[in-house]
Structures are given as structure tokens and as C-alpha cells.
Amino acid sequence: MPDRAIASALLRIDLDALIENYHFLCARAAPAAVAAVVKADAYGLGARPVATALTDAGCTIFFVAHLAEALAMRPVLSSDEDLYVLNGLQPGAEGVCAAAGAIPVLNSLDQVGQWSALARKAKQRLRAALQIDTGMSRLGLSPGDVATIATDRQRLAGVDLSLIISHLACADEPHHPANAVQVDAFEKVAAHFPGVARSIDNSGGTLLARGHFDMVRAGISLYGGSPQSGRPNPMAAVVSLDARIIQWRDVPARVGVGYGLRSVSDQPRRTATMGVGYADGWPRRLGDRGSAFIAGRRVAIAGRVSMDSMTLDVTGLPDELLVPGSLVELLGPHQTIDDVAADADTIAYEILTQLGRRFARDHVRIAATTAQRSLRV
Ligand SMILES: *Cc1c(COP(=O)(O)O)cnc(C)c1O
């Protein structure tokens, strides 16, 4: 990562806001535990500093998607902390998974067979979760597969089943009828394994007004994204992003701006260009439709977003706000990750996970130091 003195944009990740969100979710989920989903480098925010802050706050259960992510993550966690791999086991990956002390989420009868065979061979009990497909048709055992295991318990020989999970397809739509249908199916199938912990809710599900079984698996809500569409977002913002102005200019009437000269005005304009583009995860889709904020004033993106830069229409702003090196808010108090996602026709998950590697990154604890924003990592 570039140093903040020379970087063209500064990404700030507020670990205190993360912890505030964790505590909020704990209160909503109780008595269920809150597990943290830190896949995709904690949605782009840095899995190591995020997991360290969450363990300090009392979180003991973590989920990643890939085994390779678990290998990178395991040394950061203590042996008291559970690390699950959502995508389960690739053929032949069971030895690496067991050696790493990661717990696979077994998604098929073949994966159950692989894990059990390893446990028997190693004469060791190996922990695992089972995922049940209750209607999303993505990953997991079918209810029929579960019945097969339930009648032939030998299939789980050597396996220490610590968790049964399923995943909701429509948890971000609180009134979608599929939510209740999936929960009913989950309860029926999980009844084959009395006493084993159960988990079905992601962030959206955690805000649904009902019980949450034994554990929720929270991702986007920890990172400040809105868990449910069309409802006010109760989460604290975790990410802010400020880009530096490289230069500004006065553009005469009828002169085009950017690739394709697509942005043209009948009036003279003033523009400012920043060093953030689609290679930094700022969606190209935001050309001529996205916004930024300078001293709290909204300015529009003019023309196409380039790979490494984009231009703002700053007509009417005084020179002193446009000095090269001064900061423009891309994410912050005036513009959330959900606002940007809406402008780009996507979801906050995609905005976060694409955030670029060319930004300077500070993990800060804002509340702990109140006015003084301190560097932590
Ligand atoms: C990504 C993921 C989550 C977290 O979802 P959020 O909506 O980000 O809270 C939970 N469970 C599974 C199976 C996932 O793939």
C-alpha cells in the first residue's frame, strides 16, 4: 500500500465503528452468537486488522469462503477461535484443511465422505459443519442427502458435527415469503441432528423479527452496509474514502470532457480531476451519474470514469477549494457505500470488495481517541 503522503486517495477503516456494529448485532441476535464473516479480505477492509479488533471485542467464530483464505487467517486467530470455510472441500483438499485447523462447511455427500475418510485414517475426530440447501440452489446438501446421512450414521464416522447451516436467498427483503419457507425447511432438516448448533441468518436475517437459532453469520452489516433494502440503515459507517485533486481547469462552452468527449455543456465549466478510476474499484458505470463532495457540496462526475482518474464538474467552487492535493469525499458523511452502489446499479458488497489497492489505508480507532484520529495498524 502506498504511504498516505504520496497516495492519491486515503481509505480509512474505523475499527471502533466495526465494534459498535458487532455489539449492535450481538444485542439483536441474542441469545444467538454473532460470527464474523471475513471472506474476501473482510469485504476488502483487511481481514487481519478486522479479525483482531473483533476478537478483542469478544468474537470467537469466523467464516471465510476459501480454504486459501483460512490458511492466511488461521495464524491470526487463537486455538479458542473457530474458523469455518464456507465453500467446503475441493477434492483432495481435506489434508490441508485439517492440518490448518480450519473447519469445513461440508456441502455434499462426497465432501462428507472425504472428511470422514480422513478422520478414520488419522484416527482423529475432525470438526465440521453441514450446509443444507433449503431453497437457494447454490451450495449444500439437499434434504434428501441429509436423510441419507441420518439413516446411515456411519457416513459421519469420525466427524464431530459442530454446526448446521443454511443460507437465505432473500434476507435483504424482510417481507419476502421465501424467508419463512426456508426457515421451516431448515428446522425440519436440522431436527435430524438434535443438540447440534444451528445457523441460518446473515446480516439481513439478523434484523428479521424472529429467533435466530444459535448463531448468526454477519458480514456486510459489520462493515456498515445496509442489511435490508428499503429500510433505514441502523449500522455505523466503517469506511471513508477521500481522493486528492490533481489539477483543475476552466473548460469553455461546448468543449468535451474525458474519453469520447461525451460530457459537453453549453456553458463554460470548471472541472477538477482526481486520481481514482475504475482500476481502483470506482465503477465505470458512475460516468456522468456519480457524485463526490467538496467541503460538503455535491459535485457531479463529468464524463467517463477512466482507469486511473475521473473528472468532476466543480463549476462555481472557488480556487481555494481546488488546490492540488486537497481532498474530495468519495465515501464519508455525505455519501455512503449504499449511495454509491445505488448510483452504480449494484450493491454495497461489490463497492467494498472492489476498493483498490492503490489507496493509502489507515485502520483507525476514532471513538477511542475522539477528536484525534490515531493510526492503529
Ligand atoms: C457471505 C455470507 C454471509 C454473510 O452475508 P452478509 O449478507 O454479508 O451478512 C453469511 N453466510 C454465508 C453462507 C455467506 O456466503
Side-chain angles (χ1 to χ4, degrees):
M1 306 293 164
D3 188 85
R4 66 201 327 261
I6 60 164
S8 44
L10 312 175
L11 180 68
R12 197 177 294 110
I13 295 140
D14 181 356
L15 296 174
D16 281 332
L18 169 82
I19 298 312
E20 193 181 316
N21 290 337
Y22 171 70
H23 289 312
F24 174 88
L25 293 166
C26 287
R28 293 298 293 253
V34 176
V37 180
V38 294
K39 62 194 182 188
D41 200 25
Y43 292 35
L45 305 190
R48 281 167 175 254
V50 162
T52 304
L54 286 167
T55 50
D56 289 351
C59 182
T60 60
I61 312 160
F62 295 85
F63 284 84
V64 290
H66 296 264
L67 179 54
E69 294 179 318
L71 299 184
M73 205 54 217
R74 194 61 261 191
V76 181
L77 303 174
S78 82
S79 55
D80 298 336
E81 285 140 15
D82 291 342
L83 179 59
Y84 288 94
V85 182
L86 286 166
N87 286 0
L89 290 173
Q90 298 280 350
E94 58 274 15
V96 175
C97 186
I103 310 171
V105 175
L106 303 173
N107 289 305
S108 67
L109 289 177
D110 283 346
Q111 292 183 12
V112 171
Q114 258 174 276
W115 199 238
S116 169
L118 179 68
R120 282 178 277 128
K121 197 172 123 204
K123 298 195 171 24
Q124 203 187 337
R125 289 193 67 77
L126 293 177
R127 288 178 66 191
L130 283 188
Q131 174 153 224
I132 303 165
D133 175 22
T134 54
M136 188 174 175
S137 311
R138 186 176 70 170
L139 284 173
L141 296 127
S142 68
D145 292 336
V146 177
T148 301
I149 295 175
T151 51
D152 180 6
R153 291 281 167 162
Q154 265 312 104
R155 285 178 180 262
L156 283 175
V159 175
D160 197 354
L161 201 58
S162 56
L163 180 67
I164 313 258
I165 77 164
S166 189
H167 194 54
L168 296 173
C170 307
D172 58 330
E173 299 172 58
H175 299 296
H176 200 292
N179 291 323
V181 172
Q182 284 195 263
V183 167
D184 284 350
F186 183 60
E187 282 192 295
K188 281 204 187 76
V189 179
H192 286 297
F193 306 98
V196 178
R198 294 172 295 170
S199 171
I200 195 169
D201 288 323
N202 66 345
S203 295
T206 304
L207 296 198
L208 295 174
R210 56 157 167 73
H212 303 286
F213 298 99
D214 302 296
M215 178 203 297
V216 301
R217 309 180 306 270
I220 195 73
S221 52
L222 286 172
Y223 311 123
S226 183
Q228 294 180 329
S229 50
R231 299 223 169 156
N233 183 5
M235 312 315 299
V238 173
V239 174
S240 59
L241 177 64
D242 294 286
R244 293 190 196 285
I245 291 174
I246 302 172
Q247 70 170 173
W248 65 271
R249 65 201 332 110
D250 285 317
V251 179
R254 292 176 296 284
V255 168
V257 172
Y259 279 121
L261 304 176
R262 285 256 299 246
S263 170
V264 186
S265 170
D266 290 343
Q267 304 297 320
R269 290 178 289 176
R270 174 167 285 191
T271 61
T273 299
M274 304 168 290
V276 169
Y278 61 78
D280 303 293
W282 210 250
R284 190 167 176 277
R285 178 101 200 169
L286 290 177
D288 280 322
R289 50 197 287 189
S291 304
F293 288 81
I294 296 178
R297 282 168 70 173
R298 186 187 167 279
V299 290
I301 295 175
R304 289 181 178 157
V305 174
S306 299
M307 183 188 290
D308 316 296
S309 64
M310 62 183 167
T311 298
L312 301 169
D313 184 337
V314 295
T315 307
L317 290 195
D319 303 8
E320 58 269 22
L321 288 179
L322 305 175
V323 176
S326 56
L327 293 174
V328 175
E329 175 191 329
L330 294 181
L331 293 170
H334 300 93
Q335 180 157 268
T336 67
I337 49 177
D338 286 288
D339 295 335
V340 173
D343 285 349
D345 282 330
T346 183
I347 52 177
Y349 300 70
E350 194 174 31
I351 301 298
L352 281 186
T353 54
Q354 298 306 307
L355 286 174
R357 302 294 162 195
R358 299 190 293 187
F359 305 145
R361 287 172 168 240
D362 288 341
H363 290 87
V364 298
R365 306 211 73 141
I366 289 176
T369 57
T370 19
Q372 224 181 345
R373 295 177 165 189
S374 81
L375 230 76
R376 181 170 190 264
V377 175

